[in-house]
Amino acid sequence: MKEQSFEWMLQGCHSITEIAVAYFPNYQYDCSAVKSLRRAIKGHASLLAELTEAGFTHKTTILTPKQILALVRQWGMQLSGYEGLNNPVLINNRG
């Protein structure tokens, strides 16, 4: 598989779908990746608190740079399309 850079995540606002697919690349449908991202956020108390402080709600569809930075700070930066598969936080919240 071709290596993909995720540096774009650090520049500007992005849809929750784009970010979800970056962290959960193996889903056939983008909506499944979004559901998994939301479920993982909900199950990660410190991340949820940081995102909520940055204005995130269960209805958020566009993530701000501050919210994306919170994700990267808590879960790490995606380096390739399959990097998230080994993230313990994400592994424990798959469903």
Side-chain angles (χ1 to χ4, degrees), residues 16 19-20 23-24 33-52 56-58 60 63 67-68 70-71 74-75 89-90 93-94:
I16 197 165
I19 301 301
Y23 279 99
F24 296 91
V34 172
K35 286 178 186 178
S36 290
L37 177 68
R38 289 187 185 279
R39 186 174 30 249
I41 289 170
K42 189 176 179 182
H44 196 279
S46 63
L47 175 59
L48 180 58
E50 191 172 347
L51 287 171
T52 300
F56 180 85
T57 71
H58 69 281
T60 297
L63 296 174
Q67 293 165 341
I68 294 168
L71 280 167
Q74 297 269 342
W75 288 349
V89 172
L90 303 181
N93 288 293
R94 284 190 192 137

Side-chain angles (χ1 to χ4, degrees), residues 74-86:
Q74 297 269 342
W75 288 349
M77 182 66 178
Q78 293 302 93
L79 301 175
S80 71
Y82 291 94
E83 196 72 21
L85 298 177
N86 297 318

